[in-house]
Amino acid sequence: GENVEQHPSTLSVQEGDSAVIKCTYSDSASNYFPWYKQELGKRPQLIIDIRSNVGEKKDQRIAVTLNKTAKHFSLHITETQPEDSAVYFCAASMGMDTGRRALTFGSGTRLQVQP
Amino acid sequence: NAGVTQTPKFRVLKTGQSMTLLCAQDMNHEYMYWYRQDPGMGLRLIHYSVGEGTTAKGEVPDGYNVSRLKKQNFLLGLESAAPSQTSVYFCASRDAGGAKNIQYFGAGTRLSVL
């Protein structure tokens, strides 16, 4: 089955700096890669996603890049703000081709933005 | 439109007790999932359902059972709770169609087994 590894497990940055979180996946059939943000005690919320036919996607201060050859994808947050502090999870799945279509999650990155 | 609703929000059990966690979604989604979240381990899939009346095992199914008698509800049962089942449980649902696998999560159930 799919295996997703995520690094780093914790990341501390100063407000205004950029943050980068990296994930690798094992199953070359995976074609959908979402990122979720989870604030303390809350549910995971989708913040951005990318499909395998796209190399990069941006949404304001957030961007995701995908390298299918190397089987890794990254989340980039620019101009970080204290409200970006949370745990971020990457995930991978096969979007259309399996009955299960579940997400395999990375272990999470705790991001702290210091004011 | 409430989305995905989980009950209860919190529960404390003694070892050996049983309980059922309820997940309800009002988005007419075909697919529903149960995950558990443990510190440092992300979310792991327990069981899932691709439609009413169907269920299947995920990565960590041992000690759990599920039922999907109605499309909108997905129940997770613990027949004989163990301390290793102390965790936060999340339910999620998604539509069957579409190229993306966007899953919508409930607020979670925090379970402690003593």
Side-chain angles (χ1 to χ4, degrees):
Chain A
E2 176 66 277
N3 182 50
V4 177
E5 295 195 356
Q6 183 172 347
H7 300 280
S9 56
T10 60
L11 179 59
S12 183
V13 300
Q14 291 295 123
E15 183 177 357
D17 288 350
S18 295
V20 180
I21 302 170
K22 299 182 179 181
C23 289
T24 60
Y25 61 100
S26 60
D27 193 336
S28 57
S30 290
N31 62 4
Y32 175 66
F33 308 93
W35 286 88
Y36 284 81
K37 175 183 180 182
Q38 186 178 31
E39 296 175 348
L40 189 63
K42 301 285 184 64
R43 74 189 76 191
Q45 300 269 19
L46 179 71
I47 57 171
I48 194 167
D49 56 13
I50 192 168
R51 292 207 67 210
S52 57
N53 58 350
V54 176
E56 183 176 1
K57 183 177 177 181
K58 285 184 180 180
D59 183 2
Q60 299 183 344
R61 296 185 297 109
I62 295 173
V64 57
T65 58
L66 171 65
N67 183 327
K68 281 219 68 163
T69 303
K71 288 190 281 189
H72 67 71
F73 57 112
S74 300
L75 177 71
H76 305 254
I77 306 174
T78 59
E79 301 173 21
T80 54
Q81 301 166 4
E83 52 264 37
D84 294 329
S85 297
V87 178
Y88 292 81
F89 292 97
C90 63
S93 85
M94 291 174 278
M96 295 284 287
D97 303 321
T98 68
R100 194 181 86 165
R101 305 178 205 186
L103 294 169
T104 300
F105 285 86
S107 55
T109 296
R110 182 173 299 279
L111 173 65
Q112 270 194 303
V113 180
Q114 308 289 349
Chain B
N1 187 336
V4 180
T5 304
Q6 289 183 234
T7 52
K9 289 184 170 49
F10 304 94
R11 186 73 184 266
V12 178
L13 289 179
K14 293 181 180 178
T15 298
Q17 287 185 317
S18 64
M19 78 162 294
T20 300
L21 283 66
L22 171 63
C23 177
Q25 52 95 3
D26 61 3
M27 297 175 281
N28 201 36
H29 285 169
E30 291 290 337
Y31 291 74
M32 296 187 75
Y33 308 88
W34 276 107
Y35 295 91
R36 61 176 288 172
Q37 184 175 32
D38 302 296
M41 298 187 72
L43 288 87
R44 293 181 293 167
L45 183 67
I46 305 171
H47 284 282
Y48 66 99
S49 168
V50 301
E52 181 179 317
T54 70
T55 63
K57 295 180 181 180
E59 303 169 46
V60 289
D62 294 342
Y64 305 95
N65 56 74
V66 287
S67 64
R68 182 102 182 266
L69 299 179
K70 293 182 179 180
K71 185 177 182 179
Q72 63 267 34
N73 295 337
F74 195 28
L75 279 63
L76 178 71
L78 286 74
E79 289 188 348
S80 179
S84 60
Q85 294 178 303
T86 293
S87 187
V88 180
Y89 292 85
F90 285 99
C91 175
S93 71
R94 63 152 286 188
D95 193 13
K100 291 188 177 180
N101 188 0
I102 297 176
Q103 296 190 13
Y104 299 86
F105 284 85
T109 295
R110 188 174 296 274
L111 175 66
S112 293
V113 182
L114 305 178

